[in-house]
Amino acid sequence: MKRWATNCFRPTNVLTIKRLRILHSIVWCLWLSTQTALAQPKPTPTTAFDFAGFQERTALLPYATIYETPQEFPVAEVARRIANHQLPVAPHKASQGFSDNFYWVHFKIDWTKAQGQQLLLELNNPHVDNVMLYETTKQGFHIIGYGGDRNQTFQHRVYTNRRYIMPLWAQDQPTDYYLMVDKRNASVSFPLWLWNSKVFEVKEAKENTYFAGFFALIFLMALGAIAVGMSIRKKLFVYYGMYAALMGLYLFTALGFSYQYLYPNAAAFNNYSRVLLCVLIALSGTRFIRTLLYIDSLSPWVRQTFKWLNGTLLMLLGAWIFLIGLHQGFTIWLLNIMYLIFFVYFILALYSGFKAFKTYRFNAVVFLIAFSMVIMGVSAYIAVEYGWIRETVFWVNPILMGSGIEIIVLSLAMLYKHIALVKEKERLSKQTQILSVRNQTLQNMALKLKQRVQNTNAPQHVVLRSKAVLKLEDIMYVASDGPYLEYYLAIKQKPELDRHTIKWVLTQLPTSQFVQIHRSYIVNVNYIKILKANEVILENGTILRISRTFKANLHTTQTEPLA
């Protein structure tokens, strides 16, 4: 047994040893990068911010200490417990993960070195239930900043901004500040920045301009895709337009713009708007993926699983909206279930992409590239929510970055497919025109052949009551004169008379050769020399009138232009 085990794990050649070394190096690098990403700074004592090297903005957390309390305390009690070292220090700085605690940020600013600079404190998290900023003075503690999005309208904040911005007024001495952050039953993160007030206004205006262009582009592409899909009757474009519009609206909401511009007085709706949008994105996204990757035909079990997951999400959304007590008491559990469902979505979507690679390679490659961006962005955001990665690592919201790249990639792909469809439509239109011309030519040839057959099978003469036999090829035209018919022949000057009606003679003459042009005239088209609007001129110079009633008969019978 020992010998068998030794032989199984013994490298058989030098190549195997090299492969094991490479694998060991890869695993070591992955482990090292994971440890670096998950590392959190250790809590440090509060150090006063003294404006050294400060120009535009700086991160506040290196100068602050974070404390957590299981219940809400007055600021004076918090300050007393901090002074007596009776409050536990939070294990992390900006990102605390899911928590039920209140958080207090204690920091100090040495205003003696401010040199007249005015500061703004930025809490770069638009979704905080309640936030209060206290300033310490000789008279006690004063509230100088407040806000929140739970049971508070957007206007209930000291500074109008999608984030929480609080002015810090210059003092004549070092001053302590206490910032209370309440985000219980959810993921807690509060990246804090100190800004030069003048610089902040300029930067904010530029940033809002960039965001306006970004969201305008997203919604323009979404509406364009829907319009194209409806015009060419392609569901793929309609589903993509709906998905892109909802994704853009989610990003708009995640950045705090929706609460500022769309529903500033609907605090209750703001509590579950992002959850609602996530569910709608999942519903529209699965429909788009099913159409793009032909999942219904390639993987029916994936389609059925998507339906079950969509139904589960809708039930969770209903519990979130209508069972307020359940939602507030089990928010963390509901969010974790939703994250698990989204993880299953990602796995199924990736499987479908690889499944469709052989049959629909272009669609699969585009989807895998675009969707991988979303997966990385969502994964990074979830890691921030769980406190595994500091939010300050990302210069922009990871979901915003990943989703933005995804929408750009998919939009370019949809544009390419639309151009390809237009070119294919033009090609088919040209082929249809060519086939139509060929079909018309074949019809004309068939008509001529039919006429020839009729001429061949038809009788070549007409017999009068007088027993006279007239060859059809000799008859130029037939004129009706009361109860008599006059047959004008090419070989005689005087006509042959016969007692019959013009209706009778029409049944005796082939319609491919003889046509009635007037109630009194039947003409042999082979003797027509000139065809005018209201008359025909025969080869012998005879002029016959054409009545309006029978004019169409002549043009129907005549298949070739006349001189």
Side-chain angles (χ1 to χ4, degrees):
M1 185 68 179
K2 182 177 181 182
R3 181 180 300 175
W4 175 83
T6 304
N7 291 334
C8 285
F9 292 97
R10 180 182 298 168
T12 57
N13 49 46
V14 177
L15 182 60
T16 304
I17 296 175
K18 290 183 178 180
R19 289 176 178 174
L20 289 174
R21 288 177 178 175
I22 293 174
L23 180 61
H24 178 268
S25 301
I26 293 174
V27 173
W28 171 258
C29 291
L30 290 175
W31 179 86
L32 185 61
S33 61
T34 303
Q35 295 300 313
T36 303
L38 300 181
Q40 294 285 356
K42 297 181 180 180
T44 56
T46 302
T47 303
F49 173 69
D50 58 2
F51 293 88
F54 177 74
Q55 294 182 353
E56 295 184 356
R57 78 165 187 169
T58 186
L60 177 61
L61 291 177
Y63 302 94
T65 305
I66 315 298
Y67 300 92
E68 56 183 359
T69 61
Q71 59 188 18
E72 186 175 9
F73 291 120
V75 62
E77 178 64 18
V78 171
R80 185 189 67 80
R81 293 195 179 201
I82 291 176
N84 296 330
H85 304 286
Q86 295 177 347
L87 281 185
V89 178
H92 307 297
K93 280 286 187 179
S95 303
Q96 309 299 328
F98 289 96
S99 175
D100 294 328
N101 295 328
F102 292 87
Y103 287 89
W104 290 86
V105 182
H106 175 222
F107 62 96
K108 181 183 294 186
I109 296 179
D110 186 359
W111 289 103
T112 59
K113 302 178 181 179
Q115 298 179 353
Q117 296 189 66
Q118 179 67 40
L119 297 181
L120 291 175
L121 173 63
E122 173 197 356
L123 172 55
N124 191 11
N125 183 355
H127 306 282
V128 176
D129 294 343
N130 191 22
V131 58
M132 302 285 288
L133 178 61
Y134 298 88
E135 179 185 69
T136 305
T137 64
K138 295 179 181 179
Q139 291 77 24
F141 300 94
H142 296 283
I143 298 177
I144 61 173
Y146 51 85
D149 63 356
R150 173 173 291 181
N151 302 323
Q152 302 180 57
T153 63
F154 180 81
Q155 288 76 15
H156 184 75
R157 54 185 67 192
V158 70
Y159 193 100
T160 302
N161 191 278
R162 61 185 178 86
R163 295 158 293 183
Y164 295 101
I165 307 298
M166 288 160 277
L168 301 177
W169 306 104
Q171 306 293 327
D172 55 2
Q173 61 184 357
T175 305
D176 287 278
Y177 296 90
Y178 297 89
L179 178 68
M180 189 277 294
V181 179
D182 177 12
K183 185 65 175 173
R184 289 168 293 168
N185 296 322
S187 172
V188 184
S189 62
F190 38 84
L192 297 170
W193 299 88
L194 283 177
W195 281 88
N196 181 303
S197 59
K198 295 181 180 179
V199 174
F200 176 80
E201 297 293 343
V202 176
K203 294 283 187 181
E204 187 72 4
K206 290 183 179 179
E207 186 178 81
N208 287 339
T209 302
Y210 297 150
F211 277 130
F214 174 75
F215 287 113
L217 179 62
I218 288 181
F219 290 117
L220 182 63
M221 291 188 295
L223 294 176
I226 294 175
V228 168
M230 295 180 66
S231 63
I232 64 177
R233 297 182 180 180
K234 289 290 184 180
K235 294 181 179 180
L236 176 65
F237 291 88
V238 177
Y239 294 147
Y240 169 69
M242 295 171 59
Y243 172 75
L246 290 170
M247 183 64 76
L249 186 58
Y250 173 82
L251 298 177
F252 194 75
T253 303
L255 291 172
F257 289 112
S258 293
Y259 195 36
Q260 181 177 1
Y261 296 111
L262 301 183
Y263 44 86
N265 297 319
F269 177 74
N270 189 56
N271 288 331
Y272 53 81
S273 58
R274 286 183 297 163
V275 177
L276 172 63
L277 287 172
C278 285
V279 173
L280 294 178
I281 288 172
L283 298 178
S284 61
T286 53
R287 194 64 188 173
F288 168 64
I289 294 172
R290 284 172 54 187
T291 307
L292 178 68
L293 302 179
Y294 300 90
I295 292 177
D296 292 3
S297 58
L298 294 179
S299 303
W301 70 272
V302 174
R303 176 198 61 188
Q304 191 63 33
T305 307
F306 274 149
K307 289 184 178 180
W308 281 102
L309 293 176
N310 290 342
T312 306
L313 276 181
L314 289 174
M315 288 190 296
L316 290 175
L317 178 63
W320 188 287
I321 296 176
F322 299 108
L323 303 178
I324 300 177
L326 178 65
H327 145 227
Q328 293 180 352
F330 298 92
T331 300
I332 296 177
W333 283 100
L334 290 174
L335 288 176
N336 280 279
I337 294 174
M338 285 188 176
Y339 288 155
L340 179 61
I341 293 176
F342 287 137
F343 176 75
V344 178
Y345 273 127
F346 292 157
I347 298 299
L348 292 177
L350 289 176
Y351 168 80
S352 302
F354 288 109
K355 181 76 173 178
F357 184 77
K358 292 183 179 180
T359 310
Y360 307 101
R361 179 161 298 183
F362 175 79
N363 291 12
V365 170
V366 168
F367 169 76
L368 290 173
I369 293 175
F371 198 63
S372 61
M373 299 294 103
V374 178
I375 291 178
M376 289 189 290
V378 172
S379 300
Y381 182 78
I382 292 176
V384 169
E385 288 210 328
Y386 280 97
W388 299 337
I389 301 177
R390 297 189 304 273
E391 189 169 1
T392 52
V393 171
F394 305 99
W395 62 275
V396 69
N397 187 305
I399 294 184
L400 174 66
M401 186 164 49
S403 301
I405 297 175
E406 179 210 23
I407 291 176
I408 292 174
V409 172
L410 289 178
S411 296
L412 292 176
M414 292 295 104
L415 178 62
Y416 173 81
K417 291 181 73 68
H418 176 58
I419 294 175
L421 287 174
V422 171
K423 290 183 177 179
E424 180 67 13
K425 185 177 180 180
E426 292 177 352
R427 186 183 67 83
L428 293 176
S429 177
K430 291 180 180 179
Q431 287 186 350
T432 302
Q433 292 177 357
I434 294 173
L435 292 176
S436 177
V437 172
R438 292 178 179 177
N439 183 49
Q440 186 64 36
T441 303
L442 291 175
Q443 288 181 355
N444 293 337
M445 293 175 63
L447 179 62
K448 290 182 178 179
L449 181 61
K450 182 178 179 181
Q451 291 175 352
R452 290 179 181 178
V453 171
Q454 289 178 348
N455 292 337
T456 302
N457 298 332
Q460 302 299 314
H461 57 270
V462 61
V463 180
L464 306 183
R465 287 182 180 271
S466 62
K467 306 301 181 180
V469 179
L470 304 179
K471 293 182 178 180
L472 298 182
E473 60 185 19
D474 294 336
I475 301 175
M476 293 190 297
Y477 69 97
V478 181
S480 174
D481 185 12
Y484 294 94
L485 294 177
E486 297 177 346
Y487 292 86
Y488 290 87
L489 306 178
I491 57 176
K492 294 178 64 176
Q493 291 184 352
K494 292 184 178 181
E496 291 283 346
L497 297 179
D498 188 33
R499 187 177 179 83
H500 268 302
T501 64
I502 199 166
K503 290 183 178 180
W504 174 86
V505 77
L506 280 174
T507 62
Q508 304 300 311
L509 300 175
T511 56
S512 60
Q513 186 177 357
F514 290 87
V515 59
Q516 185 176 5
I517 62 173
H518 191 273
R519 66 180 181 178
S520 301
Y521 297 116
I522 297 175
V523 67
N524 188 339
V525 296
N526 295 327
Y527 285 95
I528 296 177
K529 182 179 181 180
I530 299 176
L531 174 62
K532 294 184 178 182
N534 298 317
E535 61 185 16
V536 295
I537 302 177
L538 304 185
E539 291 182 351
N540 63 352
T542 302
I543 300 175
L544 301 177
R545 288 190 305 150
I546 302 174
S547 67
R548 294 181 180 180
T549 305
F550 301 99
K551 188 174 185 180
N553 295 342
L554 182 62
H555 289 283
T556 301
T557 305
Q558 188 66 37
T559 58
E560 296 180 357
L562 300 173

